[in-house]
Amino acid sequence: MKKCKLLLYLFLFSFSYTSFSQAPVSWTSAEMYLAIRKLNVLGSVLYIAAHPDDENTRLIAYLSKDRMFRTGYLSMTRGDGGQNLIGDEQGEALGLIRTQELLSARRIDGGEQFFTRAYDFGYSKSPDETFDKWDKEKILSDVVWVIRKFQPDIIITRFPTTGEGGHGHHTASAILANEAFSAAADPTRFPEQLKYVSVWQTKRVLWNTFRFGSFNTTNDSQLKIDVGGYNPLLGESYGEIAARSRSQHKSQGFGVAAQRGKQLEYFVATKGNQPASDLMDGIDLSWHKIKGGEEIEEAVNDIAEKFDLLHPEKSVDDLVKLYRKMQKLPEGHWTTKKMDEVKTLIEQCSGLFIEATTNTNYAVQTDSITIQFSINDRLGSQAMVERISVDDFDTVLHRPLAKNENFGFRETLYVPPDKPLTQPYWLKEKKATGYYHVDDPQLIGQPDVSPAYWVHVDLTIDELPLSFAIPVKYKFTTPVRGELYEPLVVIPSMLLKSEPELRIVINKDEQLGGNLQIQSKKDHIVATPHTDYFLKHHVADPRLKFNIGAVGMTAKNQTINVGYKVQSDTSSSFQFLAKDNNLDYYASSELKEIRYDHVPYINYFVTPVVNFKKIDVKTYNKTIGYIVGAGDKVPEALEQMGYTVTLLTAAELAKESLQQYDAIITGVRAYNTNDWMSRYYTKLMNYVKEGGNLIVQYNTSNSIGPVNQKIGPYDFQISRTRVTDENAAVRFLQPNHPVLNFPNKINANDFRGWVQERSIYHASNWDATHFQTIFSMQDIGEKPDEGSLIIAKYGRGFFTYTGLVFFRELPAGVAGAYRLMANIIALNKKKSF
């Protein structure tokens, strides 16, 4: 009994997260009818791949909505190392966005979402490199855990084990899936998991073969299934549903057109036997697999036959009876799952509306929060509210609900100082190179952050006690978007912010300093700023001096700027905190917020730090025009170097004289994301010809915003060539070229300490008469490539295309990247300062 309850608890958590930040869900009668029919389908499929956007959304939609299987997608990573088409977030922040995009996709196609602890460290060219950084055994244990917990009948991989998927992460995901097929069934493999789950033997692993462009891995000997059918109850084909799902991957520019008509998917077994006619050949998908289940199947058929689309509440009594019958079945995975489905159906067919909301985004530690509880029995199921509880609040009501009348009340709760901050669990500890550290093994696989508050609502319907767990949400209304629900976030009583986080120091005599922002999140706070040195040594940090001691803040959201000076003359790092003198409490959190309309509000905490990096870099030229692309943090880095940076859009390019700029730099993927760039080609080329310096950072060559216009004064193309080893050797092809000598002498040391990769989307097929190549580099086992940096003299000016990842290296404070960028900017030697 104890184990069954634990499994139920785990399932409820994984189920709830997919709708945690959305409005309370109300089904249509068609959805209720489909859910009733699904009660008689006891089959499950786990789809496995490497990243957000790798999944086959058309197949997931077909499996979940046509075949009515429980369908999950296990993504090895959260896509942290990818590129970002909609903003400047990178790394963990981008992973948070892509996590929410996946959850949005699953809400559309009906799948459930899971992750391992693997970190997307960037493009990998082999599974060996991938496993070296991921720690293969650790990530294999995560895959086994999800399989044992989900208990799929079959596993489907997007990629093969033999490398046709290209990316090393892709191949690694297939290798892990195939090894987990056996490991999940072996009690000697990861036995520590068996305290919570049982071993599980999946029937088979299938590779979902593909045709990507001209690369075709399908053939007529493979199992073929048409997944392009039309569902009249939903009013869409599975191709149309899949297009809406896939188009949620907006940060990757994966909006796609809807597909209609016959769509074949192909499959070949890599573990277990090859199915002859169906994915589930040889698998019992009915209630016959459970003792006493035949009676359940008959009851479900009867409910489906009598279901009234106009009056779904008429099915509630029979659903209650069905639930009671299920309570008598042997405990097990499917019994627990189907009982939960019936409970949800009772809620939906009753028209029950249950919500718990606040009018603020934040619950502040040591302050209070007011929760509004609302319940409505809209179709009159004669429900009785027995009890409502949340944290330390618990009230017994025993109150009948009148048909379609709102019942509600408010309760103000104290937020204790030890109430956990609402932090994504995988970001609580500092990550390793290739994976996140997660202390609680039961959280592994969970897709989203745990809600700040769960409200437990106990009801009786037809004398059947039912309990519902409802996450508390922040509800508000805007004139444009109407009523919105967003996550409620627990935050500390003070928030800190260090400005800047990275300070590049190029003047040896410069006095180092900055500002620490302290913001009160409640009334009447007296705060004293410190660094973490104080906690370790109980005395002030001798390396840094604040210009103010204790500061008093009388009102919520009041911000005080505390200046400081650094006494050290070397590169140094400081971690800030502040003491709440009234409570003897230390705050050491900076709140980061990400806001895009297509995903829920994203909030996470980082440690407020400042890193001072002294870099030996000389600059020449002063004024920079920066054409904004997909989003990056290069302009901020340029300003720290002493340049004056003006952001340019189509409006500025149209009306301004470009000769005022010593150099013009295009942001990453500017030609992919700005279709107006072609209108200013002639103007930009004239700028170069008259002595300007145009520097184009990488653009992509694929279908995600392809470059259809000319970029430079002479012909070149953009390839998919990249060098993913950040430590790859770099050979200097033109040692006497100005870009390697003025104003900084570039040498091999300038390529030390790079992060994630060297370069991406190299130039190819360039006009060798006019372009000069500067570097040659390659990953192990590949041919040298010279397309990472090409430079051409045009008239009196210079044009440069580079795939070198300045957008990663400059924000990371890599000294050599600053020195090389300064040299590229100085090519035309237009002005000095």
Side-chain angles (χ1 to χ4, degrees):
M1 184 67 179
K2 184 177 180 182
K3 191 169 188 177
C4 182
K5 286 183 177 178
L6 177 60
L7 288 172
L8 175 59
Y9 171 82
L10 292 173
F11 169 73
L12 286 174
F13 260 59
S14 66
F15 177 83
S16 301
Y17 292 124
T18 60
S19 57
F20 158 45
S21 299
Q22 305 302 305
V25 176
S26 293
W27 293 354
T28 66
S29 288
E31 290 170 320
M32 297 176 202
Y33 175 69
L34 288 171
I36 291 171
R37 290 181 54 202
K38 184 175 180 176
L39 292 174
N40 272 344
V41 181
L42 279 65
S44 57
V45 180
L46 184 62
Y47 201 89
I48 296 180
H51 310 105
D53 72 39
D54 284 345
E55 77 276 21
N56 185 335
T57 54
R58 185 172 60 211
L59 179 60
I60 290 175
Y62 165 79
L63 293 172
S64 67
K65 295 182 179 294
D66 184 274
R67 301 297 299 274
M68 292 181 282
F69 298 142
R70 185 185 179 199
T71 307
Y73 174 44
L74 172 59
S75 176
M76 296 293 121
T77 76
R78 296 175 184 270
D80 330 72
Q83 298 153 36
N84 187 355
L85 194 66
I86 61 175
D88 61 11
E89 295 85 4
Q90 296 177 25
E92 291 95 332
L94 178 57
L96 289 167
I97 294 171
R98 298 186 73 183
T99 292
Q100 293 303 326
E101 290 177 338
L102 265 183
L103 291 172
S104 294
R106 297 295 82 78
R107 283 189 286 271
I108 292 169
D109 60 34
E112 298 175 45
Q113 186 60 52
F114 306 99
F115 294 97
T116 75
R117 288 172 286 180
Y119 179 74
D120 180 358
F121 56 82
Y123 193 89
S124 172
K125 295 184 177 179
S126 76
D128 290 338
E129 179 198 17
T130 300
F131 288 139
D132 182 58
K133 293 187 177 181
W134 278 1
D135 186 338
K136 180 181 178 183
E137 192 73 358
K138 186 182 298 291
I139 305 307
L140 176 61
S141 75
D142 293 356
V143 180
V144 168
W145 166 260
V146 173
I147 291 172
R148 287 172 171 173
K149 183 177 172 183
F150 190 80
Q151 296 187 14
D153 292 303
I154 64 170
I155 293 170
I156 300 176
T157 66
R158 170 79 282 189
F159 303 105
T161 62
T162 46
E164 291 89 338
H167 199 317
H169 296 180
H170 294 169
T171 305
S173 71
I175 292 171
L176 290 169
N178 280 269
E179 291 190 10
F181 171 82
S182 301
D186 184 350
T188 68
R189 297 289 275 140
F190 314 110
E192 69 281 359
Q193 298 178 0
L194 301 182
K195 293 185 294 184
Y196 312 107
V197 293
S198 301
V199 295
W200 180 252
Q201 180 61 70
T202 301
K203 181 72 172 179
R204 59 178 63 94
V205 179
L206 297 167
W207 169 29
N208 179 198
T209 59
F210 49 77
R211 175 182 291 172
F212 294 157
S214 61
F215 188 55
N216 184 14
T217 63
T218 68
N219 63 67
D220 288 337
S221 68
Q222 299 168 358
L223 173 67
K224 297 185 290 291
I225 295 178
D226 179 9
V227 301
Y230 175 77
N231 190 319
L233 288 170
L234 299 177
E236 289 183 291
S237 70
Y238 303 115
E240 291 169 311
I241 295 170
R244 289 196 292 118
S245 173
R246 189 157 185 78
S247 295
Q248 299 307 301
H249 296 295
K250 299 183 190 304
S251 68
Q252 305 307 294
F254 274 11
V256 296
Q259 293 182 325
R260 300 166 187 87
K262 186 176 183 179
Q263 299 288 332
L264 293 179
E265 294 290 343
Y266 294 76
F267 305 89
V268 60
T270 56
K271 292 288 183 181
N273 63 330
Q274 173 71 18
S277 59
D278 186 77
L279 296 170
M280 294 292 193
D281 275 0
I283 300 171
D284 186 355
L285 304 174
S286 73
W287 280 102
H288 293 274
K289 67 170 68 176
I290 297 175
K291 185 178 180 180
E294 294 87 351
E295 183 181 359
I296 302 297
E297 185 174 301
E298 292 174 3
V300 171
N301 288 334
D302 183 61
I303 294 170
E305 185 176 344
K306 295 190 301 184
F307 183 73
D308 188 335
L309 289 167
L310 295 179
H311 294 283
E313 71 277 10
K314 292 180 179 179
S315 295
V316 171
D317 287 346
D318 287 336
L319 287 168
V320 168
K321 293 175 184 177
L322 178 64
Y323 191 92
R324 289 195 172 105
K325 289 179 180 178
M326 288 182 175
Q327 288 178 317
K328 299 176 183 179
L329 294 175
E331 294 178 353
H333 173 78
W334 278 114
T335 300
T336 299
K337 178 70 181 75
K338 293 301 176 180
M339 286 179 67
D340 191 76
E341 289 181 19
V342 173
K343 185 177 77 169
T344 303
L345 269 165
I346 292 172
E347 175 191 6
Q348 294 296 328
C349 290
S350 300
L352 279 171
F353 179 89
I354 308 173
E355 73 170 13
T357 62
T358 70
N359 62 2
T360 177
N361 198 178
Y362 304 115
V364 181
Q365 290 174 335
T366 72
D367 204 354
S368 60
I369 184 78
T370 299
I371 301 176
Q372 172 70 47
F373 304 91
S374 301
I375 306 177
N376 189 315
D377 184 6
R378 291 175 291 186
L379 293 178
S381 62
Q382 299 182 339
M384 179 90 70
V385 184
E386 301 290 351
R387 182 177 181 180
I388 295 178
S389 62
V390 53
D391 281 17
D392 292 334
F393 170 72
D394 194 343
T395 181
V396 176
L397 298 166
H398 196 63
R399 177 190 176 102
L401 294 173
K403 180 179 179 180
N404 203 29
E405 289 188 9
N406 294 319
F407 166 68
F409 63 93
R410 295 186 179 190
E411 187 67 28
T412 299
L413 307 179
Y414 175 67
V415 185
D418 58 353
K419 179 73 175 176
L421 300 180
T422 309
Q423 174 78 330
Y425 69 90
W426 60 96
L427 297 183
K428 288 183 178 180
E429 303 292 336
K430 185 177 180 180
K431 70 173 181 64
T433 300
Y435 57 87
Y436 291 107
H437 289 290
V438 178
D439 289 337
D440 185 352
Q442 295 184 64
L443 291 175
I444 294 170
Q446 179 180 305
D448 203 358
V449 59
S450 300
Y453 287 90
W454 284 104
V455 173
H456 300 277
V457 180
D458 295 340
L459 303 173
T460 56
I461 298 178
D462 196 13
E463 299 183 356
L464 175 68
L466 296 170
S467 182
F468 298 91
I470 310 298
V472 180
K473 303 171 186 175
Y474 164 45
K475 184 171 81 169
F476 62 104
T477 303
T478 72
V480 175
R481 300 179 63 199
E483 184 177 77
L484 298 172
Y485 292 79
E486 296 293 349
L488 174 66
V489 179
V490 177
I491 63 174
S493 59
M494 292 183 291
L495 291 172
L496 311 182
K497 181 177 177 60
S498 174
E499 293 186 334
E501 296 178 9
L502 173 66
R503 176 70 182 277
I504 301 301
V505 182
I506 62 175
N507 185 344
K508 293 181 180 180
D509 299 324
E510 184 176 357
Q511 176 68 55
L512 305 186
N515 282 297
L516 174 66
Q517 284 186 2
I518 305 177
Q519 184 181 50
S520 63
K521 302 308 294 184
K522 56 177 284 190
D523 296 335
H524 306 298
I525 286 180
V526 178
T528 302
H530 291 289
T531 70
D532 60 337
Y533 185 95
F534 180 81
L535 289 182
K536 297 173 184 176
H537 304 283
H538 308 292
V539 294
D541 192 334
R543 302 171 300 159
L544 180 146
K545 185 177 181 179
F546 293 103
N547 66 1
I548 192 170
V551 295
M553 294 173 281
T554 59
K556 181 182 291 188
N557 294 325
Q558 184 177 352
T559 299
I560 300 291
N561 286 309
V562 179
Y564 60 84
K565 298 294 183 182
V566 177
Q567 311 299 312
S568 172
D569 61 356
T570 61
S571 295
S572 51
S573 178
F574 299 93
Q575 178 180 321
F576 295 108
L577 52 92
K579 180 182 180 182
D580 184 338
N581 295 347
N582 296 328
L583 295 173
D584 196 26
Y585 164 85
Y586 290 92
S588 59
S589 296
E590 178 179 341
L591 178 64
K592 296 284 190 178
E593 300 174 313
I594 301 174
R595 302 289 186 261
Y596 292 105
D597 286 350
H598 71 292
V599 294
Y601 286 178
I602 297 171
N603 307 272
Y604 66 105
F605 297 97
V606 298
T607 301
V609 298
V610 61
N611 293 295
F612 289 94
K613 295 208 71 170
K614 293 203 168 187
I615 295 177
D616 180 16
V617 56
K618 301 179 182 66
T619 57
Y620 195 101
N621 286 343
K622 182 173 183 178
T623 58
I624 306 292
Y626 199 89
I627 300 174
V628 179
D632 58 67
K633 297 180 180 179
V634 172
E636 294 90 332
L638 295 173
E639 287 179 333
Q640 291 226 43
M641 295 171 71
Y643 297 108
T644 300
V645 180
T646 301
L647 300 182
L648 303 179
T649 66
E652 288 77 26
L653 286 177
K655 65 185 180 182
E656 290 186 1
S657 168
L658 301 184
Q659 298 308 317
Q660 63 183 299
Y661 301 112
D662 300 332
I664 294 176
I665 303 175
T666 66
V668 299
R669 297 168 78 166
Y671 288 86
N672 295 129
T673 57
N674 301 323
D675 55 8
W676 43 261
M677 288 293 291
S678 60
R679 299 203 301 266
Y680 303 104
Y681 171 77
T682 300
K683 188 171 185 178
L684 286 168
M685 292 304 103
N686 286 337
Y687 159 77
V688 176
K689 192 173 184 178
E690 294 172 12
N693 185 8
L694 178 59
I695 303 162
V696 176
Q697 296 183 86
Y698 90 94
N699 288 268
T700 64
S701 62
N702 58 19
S703 60
I704 307 173
V707 176
N708 293 318
Q709 61 265 51
K710 195 170 182 181
I711 296 177
Y714 309 111
D715 289 341
F716 72 96
Q717 295 176 345
I718 299 173
S719 73
R720 296 182 62 83
T721 300
R722 60 177 74 200
V723 177
T724 63
D725 182 359
E726 64 271 29
N727 298 310
V730 178
R731 286 167 293 284
F732 293 24
L733 303 175
Q734 307 280 348
N736 295 321
H737 195 284
V739 80
L740 297 177
N741 293 278
F742 182 82
N744 303 285
K745 181 68 175 179
I746 303 300
N747 56 54
N749 289 333
D750 290 302
F751 288 93
R752 291 180 179 175
W754 283 48
V755 298
Q756 186 162 320
E757 56 202 349
R758 285 281 192 224
S759 58
I760 55 179
Y761 295 102
H762 286 196
S764 65
N765 300 322
W766 54 83
D767 180 346
T769 303
H770 295 98
F771 279 110
Q772 290 183 292
T773 59
I774 308 301
F775 301 122
S776 174
M777 60 184 75
Q778 84 264 15
D779 283 319
I780 294 175
E782 298 187 352
K783 295 180 179 179
D785 190 272
E786 300 179 6
S788 65
L789 179 64
I790 62 171
I791 299 172
K793 187 81 165 57
Y794 181 61
R796 294 186 290 113
F798 286 84
F799 171 85
T800 297
Y801 174 83
T802 181
L804 293 168
V805 288
F806 289 107
F807 74 100
R808 296 196 195 279
E809 311 309 319
L810 296 179
V814 176
Y818 280 87
R819 288 162 48 81
L820 181 56
M821 176 58 82
N823 283 17
I824 298 173
I825 291 172
L827 277 171
N828 58 342
K829 297 184 181 180
K830 193 172 181 182
K831 296 176 184 175
S832 64
F833 67 102

CSV table of all heavy atoms in Angstrom, one decimal, residues 555-579:
chain,number,residue,atom,x,y,z
A,555,ALA,N,9.6,51.1,2.9
A,555,ALA,CA,8.5,50.7,2.1
A,555,ALA,C,8.9,49.5,1.2
A,555,ALA,O,10.1,49.4,0.8
A,555,ALA,CB,8.0,51.8,1.2
A,556,LYS,N,7.9,48.7,0.9
A,556,LYS,CA,8.1,47.6,0.0
A,556,LYS,C,8.6,48.1,-1.4
A,556,LYS,O,8.1,49.1,-1.8
A,556,LYS,CB,6.8,46.8,-0.1
A,556,LYS,CG,6.9,45.6,-1.0
A,556,LYS,CD,5.6,44.8,-1.1
A,556,LYS,CE,5.2,44.2,0.2
A,556,LYS,NZ,4.0,43.3,0.0
A,557,ASN,N,9.5,47.4,-2.0
A,557,ASN,CA,10.0,47.7,-3.4
A,557,ASN,C,10.9,48.9,-3.4
A,557,ASN,O,11.2,49.5,-4.5
A,557,ASN,CB,8.9,47.8,-4.4
A,557,ASN,CG,8.1,46.5,-4.6
A,557,ASN,OD1,8.8,45.4,-4.6
A,557,ASN,ND2,6.8,46.5,-4.8
A,558,GLN,N,11.3,49.4,-2.2
A,558,GLN,CA,12.3,50.5,-2.2
A,558,GLN,C,13.7,49.9,-2.5
A,558,GLN,O,14.1,48.9,-2.1
A,558,GLN,CB,12.3,51.1,-0.8
A,558,GLN,CG,13.2,52.4,-0.7
A,558,GLN,CD,13.1,53.0,0.6
A,558,GLN,OE1,12.3,52.7,1.5
A,558,GLN,NE2,14.0,54.0,0.9
A,559,THR,N,14.4,50.7,-3.4
A,559,THR,CA,15.7,50.3,-3.8
A,559,THR,C,16.8,51.3,-3.4
A,559,THR,O,16.6,52.5,-3.5
A,559,THR,CB,15.8,50.1,-5.3
A,559,THR,OG1,14.8,49.1,-5.7
A,559,THR,CG2,17.2,49.6,-5.8
A,560,ILE,N,17.8,50.7,-2.8
A,560,ILE,CA,19.0,51.5,-2.4
A,560,ILE,C,20.2,51.1,-3.2
A,560,ILE,O,20.5,49.9,-3.3
A,560,ILE,CB,19.3,51.4,-0.9
A,560,ILE,CG1,18.1,51.8,0.0
A,560,ILE,CG2,20.5,52.2,-0.5
A,560,ILE,CD1,17.8,53.3,-0.1
A,561,ASN,N,20.9,52.0,-3.7
A,561,ASN,CA,22.2,51.7,-4.4
A,561,ASN,C,23.3,52.0,-3.5
A,561,ASN,O,23.5,53.1,-3.0
A,561,ASN,CB,22.3,52.6,-5.7
A,561,ASN,CG,21.4,52.2,-6.8
A,561,ASN,OD1,21.4,51.0,-7.2
A,561,ASN,ND2,20.7,53.1,-7.4
A,562,VAL,N,24.1,50.9,-3.2
A,562,VAL,CA,25.2,51.0,-2.4
A,562,VAL,C,26.5,50.9,-3.2
A,562,VAL,O,26.7,49.9,-3.9
A,562,VAL,CB,25.2,49.8,-1.3
A,562,VAL,CG1,26.5,49.9,-0.4
A,562,VAL,CG2,24.0,49.9,-0.5
A,563,GLY,N,27.3,52.0,-3.2
A,563,GLY,CA,28.5,52.0,-4.0
A,563,GLY,C,29.6,51.2,-3.3
A,563,GLY,O,29.6,51.1,-2.0
A,564,TYR,N,30.6,50.8,-4.0
A,564,TYR,CA,31.8,50.1,-3.4
A,564,TYR,C,33.0,50.4,-4.2
A,564,TYR,O,32.9,50.7,-5.4
A,564,TYR,CB,31.5,48.6,-3.2
A,564,TYR,CG,31.3,47.9,-4.5
A,564,TYR,CD1,32.3,47.4,-5.3
A,564,TYR,CD2,30.0,47.6,-4.9
A,564,TYR,CE1,32.1,46.7,-6.5
A,564,TYR,CE2,29.8,46.9,-6.1
A,564,TYR,CZ,30.8,46.5,-6.9
A,564,TYR,OH,30.6,45.8,-8.0
A,565,LYS,N,34.1,50.3,-3.6
A,565,LYS,CA,35.4,50.4,-4.2
A,565,LYS,C,36.2,49.2,-3.9
A,565,LYS,O,36.2,48.6,-2.8
A,565,LYS,CB,36.2,51.6,-3.8
A,565,LYS,CG,35.5,53.0,-4.1
A,565,LYS,CD,35.4,53.2,-5.5
A,565,LYS,CE,34.8,54.6,-5.8
A,565,LYS,NZ,34.7,54.8,-7.3
A,566,VAL,N,37.0,48.7,-4.9
A,566,VAL,CA,37.8,47.5,-4.8
A,566,VAL,C,39.2,47.9,-4.5
A,566,VAL,O,39.8,48.8,-5.1
A,566,VAL,CB,37.7,46.6,-6.0
A,566,VAL,CG1,38.6,45.4,-5.9
A,566,VAL,CG2,36.3,46.2,-6.3
A,567,GLN,N,39.7,47.3,-3.4
A,567,GLN,CA,41.1,47.7,-3.0
A,567,GLN,C,42.2,46.8,-3.7
A,567,GLN,O,43.3,47.1,-3.6
A,567,GLN,CB,41.2,47.4,-1.5
A,567,GLN,CG,40.1,48.1,-0.7
A,567,GLN,CD,40.0,49.6,-0.8
A,567,GLN,OE1,41.0,50.3,-0.7
A,567,GLN,NE2,38.8,50.1,-1.1
A,568,SER,N,41.7,45.7,-4.4
A,568,SER,CA,42.7,44.8,-5.0
A,568,SER,C,43.1,45.4,-6.4
A,568,SER,O,42.2,46.0,-7.1
A,568,SER,CB,42.0,43.5,-5.2
A,568,SER,OG,42.9,42.6,-6.0
A,569,ASP,N,44.3,45.1,-6.8
A,569,ASP,CA,44.7,45.6,-8.2
A,569,ASP,C,44.8,44.4,-9.1
A,569,ASP,O,45.5,44.5,-10.2
A,569,ASP,CB,46.0,46.3,-8.1
A,569,ASP,CG,47.2,45.5,-7.5
A,569,ASP,OD1,46.9,44.3,-7.1
A,569,ASP,OD2,48.3,46.0,-7.5
A,570,THR,N,44.2,43.3,-8.8
A,570,THR,CA,44.3,42.1,-9.7
A,570,THR,C,42.8,41.7,-10.0
A,570,THR,O,41.9,42.2,-9.4
A,570,THR,CB,45.0,40.9,-9.0
A,570,THR,OG1,44.3,40.5,-7.8
A,570,THR,CG2,46.4,41.3,-8.6
A,571,SER,N,42.7,40.8,-11.0
A,571,SER,CA,41.4,40.3,-11.3
A,571,SER,C,40.8,39.6,-10.1
A,571,SER,O,41.5,38.9,-9.4
A,571,SER,CB,41.5,39.2,-12.4
A,571,SER,OG,41.9,39.9,-13.6
A,572,SER,N,39.6,39.9,-9.8
A,572,SER,CA,39.0,39.4,-8.5
A,572,SER,C,37.5,39.2,-8.7
A,572,SER,O,36.9,39.7,-9.6
A,572,SER,CB,39.3,40.3,-7.4
A,572,SER,OG,38.9,41.6,-7.7
A,573,SER,N,36.9,38.4,-7.8
A,573,SER,CA,35.5,38.1,-7.8
A,573,SER,C,34.9,38.2,-6.4
A,573,SER,O,35.5,37.9,-5.4
A,573,SER,CB,35.3,36.6,-8.3
A,573,SER,OG,33.9,36.3,-8.3
A,574,PHE,N,33.7,38.8,-6.4
A,574,PHE,CA,33.0,39.0,-5.1
A,574,PHE,C,31.6,38.5,-5.1
A,574,PHE,O,30.9,38.7,-6.1
A,574,PHE,CB,33.0,40.5,-4.7
A,574,PHE,CG,34.4,41.1,-4.6
A,574,PHE,CD1,35.0,41.7,-5.7
A,574,PHE,CD2,35.1,41.1,-3.4
A,574,PHE,CE1,36.3,42.3,-5.6
A,574,PHE,CE2,36.4,41.6,-3.3
A,574,PHE,CZ,37.0,42.2,-4.4
A,575,GLN,N,31.2,37.9,-4.1
A,575,GLN,CA,29.8,37.4,-3.9
A,575,GLN,C,29.2,38.2,-2.8
A,575,GLN,O,29.7,38.3,-1.7
A,575,GLN,CB,29.8,35.9,-3.5
A,575,GLN,CG,28.4,35.4,-3.3
A,575,GLN,CD,28.4,33.9,-3.0
A,575,GLN,OE1,29.2,33.1,-3.5
A,575,GLN,NE2,27.6,33.5,-2.0
A,576,PHE,N,28.0,38.9,-3.2
A,576,PHE,CA,27.4,39.8,-2.3
A,576,PHE,C,26.3,39.1,-1.5
A,576,PHE,O,25.6,38.2,-1.9
A,576,PHE,CB,26.8,41.0,-3.0
A,576,PHE,CG,27.9,41.8,-3.7
A,576,PHE,CD1,28.0,41.8,-5.1
A,576,PHE,CD2,28.7,42.6,-2.9
A,576,PHE,CE1,29.0,42.6,-5.7
A,576,PHE,CE2,29.7,43.4,-3.5
A,576,PHE,CZ,29.8,43.4,-4.9
A,577,LEU,N,26.0,39.7,-0.3
A,577,LEU,CA,24.9,39.3,0.5
A,577,LEU,C,24.5,40.5,1.4
A,577,LEU,O,25.3,41.5,1.4
A,577,LEU,CB,25.2,38.1,1.4
A,577,LEU,CG,26.4,38.1,2.3
A,577,LEU,CD1,26.1,38.6,3.7
A,577,LEU,CD2,27.0,36.7,2.4
A,578,ALA,N,23.4,40.5,2.0
A,578,ALA,CA,22.9,41.6,2.9
A,578,ALA,C,22.2,41.0,4.1
A,578,ALA,O,21.5,40.0,4.0
A,578,ALA,CB,22.0,42.5,2.1
A,579,LYS,N,22.5,41.6,5.2
A,579,LYS,CA,21.9,41.1,6.5
A,579,LYS,C,20.7,42.0,6.8
A,579,LYS,O,20.7,43.2,6.8
A,579,LYS,CB,22.9,41.2,7.6
A,579,LYS,CG,22.4,40.7,9.0
A,579,LYS,CD,23.5,40.9,10.1
A,579,LYS,CE,22.9,40.4,11.4
A,579,LYS,NZ,23.9,40.6,12.5
